[in-house]
Each structure stands twice: as structure tokens, then as C-alpha cells.
Amino acid sequence: MDGAAPQAADRGLLDPFGRIVTYLRVSVTDRCDFRCEYCMSEDMTFLPKSEVLSLEELDRVCSAFVRKGVRKLRLSGGEPLVRKDILKLVNQLGRHLQSGALDELTLTTNGSQLHRFAAPLYAAGVRRVNVSMDSMRPDRFREITRRGELAQVQRGLAAARDAGLGVKINAVALKGVNDDEYDDMIRWCGECGYDLTLIETMPMGEVDHDRADRYLPLSLVRSRLERSWTLEDIDYSSGGPARYVRIAETGRKVGFITPLSHNFCESCNRVRLTCTGTLYMCLGQNDAADLRFPLRVEAGDELLEAAIDEAIGRKPKGHDFVIDRRNSGPAVARHMSVTGG
Ligand code: SAM
Ligand code: SF4
């Protein structure tokens, strides 16, 4: 129709605050082989399989987002590499890289299975992975993860590098737990050729301790690092909320994700899908849209696409995370493993 106003699809997924959603994070399972103490409680109850989207359903919903203009997909969890037949999904989604519809297909993983998956992930078109590693000391690593083997993760990291994958290490900054290790991490990442991102702990889901005890503002970490390293501000963005510096001595990037001490919502371009098909338009808010019903009620994608448009139309302006002594409970009840971070 000549002269008609552009439709939402022409402009991509435009939200009410003028932000265009180009990034979808998908939690492919709520299950995990670790129980990181800041993320899960010791005895988690996982979802019955019937509630979890099948690999075909995950492919359908991701592909609908790609048709609507999403350029970057990140698979997360729980632990994405413990989902049965996960490579089938990664290989399927790889077709969008080949067609040019997608710029990047990537994963956030705890690395425990990376020694097995690094090469097939690369073959499927994955070029970068984020690997969570909160300590470089085996005993401490086991304490934080409650069941992780550091040596196995490091074997996976080496396999990733050998396969040609770019690696970024994610470490949650935890006061009194790993705050004596950031210099070692920077040095080690420099030697191995990995980037590093430090993350402030976020108040999501009940855990077995008081988060205010562990909260460490990254502004403090940054000024401590400046005593040992030359931090050069750089104009790099991975399309996410991290602010990056380059460490002159190692040449590698270090990112800081600071949802609590600095609100990064104004440039938010992402939404998050749980493994049950619930779409969260904001990590720190409870409003959500059910995409499983439209996925399951008809074989075509018309209802699904309408539900996506409707959901993006109510993406909120931002989150209201606070952690202090009076406010140390979770800001949202769900754990990070539900939306995959
Ligand atoms: N299992 C994978 C892993 O650990 O990388 C992917 C899922 S995990 C939920 C994604 C990221 O969220 C990890 O880097 C983890 O450290 C981080 N995370 C989990 N709970 C968090 C919390 N409460 N605050 C900050 N980061 C958290
Ligand atoms: Fe599992 Fe990742 Fe949560 Fe740790 S942070 S318990 S590895 S989902």
C-alpha cells in the first residue's frame, strides 16, 4: 500500500521507548549439573518435561524472532549443554547464519561439557562462547558451584580455544568469596587469550544466604584493579550491558556488568525466553507473555508472531534492582537459571 505507515515488522521489534529488540536469549533447560550458590538453592525442583518446549518448538519460536528482525541468539539455561540433543537445535538454528538472517548464534555455559561440544559447536556456526568461572582455585570453585570440577571446565576452555571459538569468562563478583582473585584472573585470561567480564550479583530467586553479605559494587573492584593494571577506556560494545576496558599489560578486554550500581536499561535491546515458552521483556520485572500456548495451539506461526508483537509492545522502561540491608530479598522471585542470565 503506497504511503501507508511502516508496519512494526518493517522497523523490527520496536518497543514503546523506541528501542529495537534485536537480541533473544533463550533458556533451553532449567536443569543444571552445578548448583552455584548465588544462582540456585541446594535442592532445586526442576520442571516436568511436558512443560518444557521441545527442540522443534524452540526452533520455531527462535525462527519467528529471527523473521521479526532478531540478529543475535544466545542459548543459555540452566546448563544448555546438558539438554539432550542440544546439537540438533544448534545445527538447525545455524541455517539462519548461513542465510544471513542472523549475525550471531552463541551460548553461555558453565563449561563442564565443553570438551565434548566445542568442535561440533564451531562446525554449526558458533564462533564465541561465554563460560562462567567464578574461581581459579579448585576447592573454592567446588564450594561455589557445589559440584563443579575446575579441571574439567579448564579442559573445556582449552578445547574451545583449539576449536577456534572466542572465549569470554564470566565471573560473578562475590565479596569475601572470590574478591582476592581478580588480578589472577586477569593475568590468566591474558595468557590464554580470553576476555573477562565481572558481574555484580543480582537479587533473583531465593538462595541459601543473604545476598547483601556478598554484594560487591564493581566501581570498587575497578578502582582496586587500577592499582595493578592500566585500564584503557575503549569504545567497544558486545551489544550488551557490559562496559569494557582494555588492560594495557595483557591486551585483553575486561567488562563490567553493573545492574545495581549503574542502570543500563536505556539501551536495552534484548528479551528472554524461558524453556517453558514464557517471554520476559525485562530481566528485573515480573511481567511476561506466554508463547507456549500459541506455539502449541496451531501448527502455523500466525498467533505466535502476533503474541510476540503484543509482548514487545509492553516492554517496560527498566528494572528496579536494589540490594541493601533492608532490601536483601529477591527483587524477582525467579532464579537466573529460569531466564538464562
Ligand atoms: N549455566 C550457564 C552458566 O553458568 O554460564 C548458563 C546459565 S547462568 C544462569 C548464566 C549466567 O548468570 C552465569 O554467568 C551466572 O554466573 C550468572 N548468574 C546466575 N545467577 C546470578 C545472580 N543472582 N546474579 C548475577 N549473575 C548470576
Ligand atoms: Fe548452573 Fe549456571 Fe546457575 Fe551455576 S550459574 S547453577 S552453572 S545455571
Side-chain angles (χ1 to χ4, degrees), residues 25 32 36 38-40 75-80 108-111 130-132 134 170-172 199-204 211 336-338 340-341:
R25 295 177 80 118
C32 187
C36 301
Y38 54 80
C39 175
M40 294 191 179
L75 307 184
S76 183
E79 174 46 41
T108 301
T109 170
N110 66 23
N130 288 2
V131 183
S132 305
D134 301 317
N170 282 346
V172 177
I199 307 172
E200 278 176 359
T201 172
M202 295 177 228
M204 299 188 64
R211 279 203 178 87
M336 186 74 102
S337 53
V338 171

Side-chain angles (χ1 to χ4, degrees), residues 142-160:
R142 165 151 297 249
E143 253 169 58
I144 297 172
T145 60
R146 294 197 183 104
R147 46 192 78 171
E149 284 289 339
L150 182 64
Q152 189 169 328
V153 172
Q154 293 194 332
R155 187 149 71 95
L157 286 168

Side-chain angles (χ1 to χ4, degrees), residues 20 52 72 75 84 86 126 152 217 225 248 269 307 323:
I20 296 178
V52 174
K72 177 169 170 179
L75 307 184
K84 191 158 174 279
I86 185 65
V126 174
Q152 189 169 328
L225 293 179
N269 61 352
I323 294 189

Side-chain angles (χ1 to χ4, degrees), residues 104-125:
E104 187 169 42
L105 173 59
T106 178
L107 280 97
T108 301
T109 170
N110 66 23
S112 71
Q113 307 302 313
L114 207 47
H115 57 288
R116 300 195 285 132
F117 285 108
L121 287 174
Y122 188 91

